[in-house]
Amino acid sequence: MKSNPRSTSKSLLKRSAVAVAMVALSASASALPVFTLNPFASGLGVAGNSFTADNMLISDYATVRFGAGNTFNETGFLSISGAQLGGATLVPTGLNSTYGLYIKFTGAGSTTAGNPSSVPTSGTF
């Protein structure tokens, strides 16, 4: 039995359209939420323009202290150096020149015993 080349190309076109639609749906489902930050609205007299982003670029500065029973405590801050929107990097006006943004954090947890250079370790936070 011979297949009709016209119906084969229509079938291929339909499958391609379905595949493109699925990719578009999955891409939009995994997109980061967009937010707007207005540093001037903080009431702290900060000079800077509002900006819209979906990701913050950070540097991690922390101290980890290990204790008895394989426990640990971590304290530090995440310094924000820029932002992104749709993968494009932007540096908001005034950020790290007239004002700075950071997120302070603390955490505690425990780890499994072992030398991490030779034995896989895991932990809870």
Side-chain angles (χ1 to χ4, degrees):
M1 178 173 165
K2 281 185 156 182
S3 65
N4 181 347
R6 185 170 251 169
S7 70
T8 303
S9 62
K10 282 184 182 179
S11 175
L12 183 58
L13 185 59
K14 283 181 184 178
R15 282 186 279 168
S16 296
V18 169
V20 168
M22 294 302 287
V23 168
L25 286 174
S26 66
S28 65
S30 65
L32 296 171
V34 176
F35 59 89
T36 299
L37 183 69
N38 184 351
F40 183 74
S42 68
L44 300 174
V46 173
N49 297 331
S50 66
F51 61 93
T52 301
D54 60 11
N55 188 34
M56 300 300 270
L57 304 176
I58 61 168
S59 296
D60 178 4
Y61 300 95
T63 300
V64 179
R65 290 191 174 88
F66 292 92
N70 297 320
T71 61
F72 67 88
N73 290 306
E74 182 175 13
T75 59
F77 66 95
L78 306 173
S79 175
I80 298 172
S81 59
Q84 291 180 318
L85 181 59
T89 301
L90 60 111
V91 178
T93 303
L95 179 61
N96 296 323
S97 61
T98 60
Y99 72 94
L101 294 173
Y102 69 93
I103 301 165
K104 182 179 177 181
F105 69 90
T106 59
S110 62
T111 63
T112 58
N115 179 350
S117 67
S118 60
V119 177
T121 59
S122 62
T124 58
F125 200 48

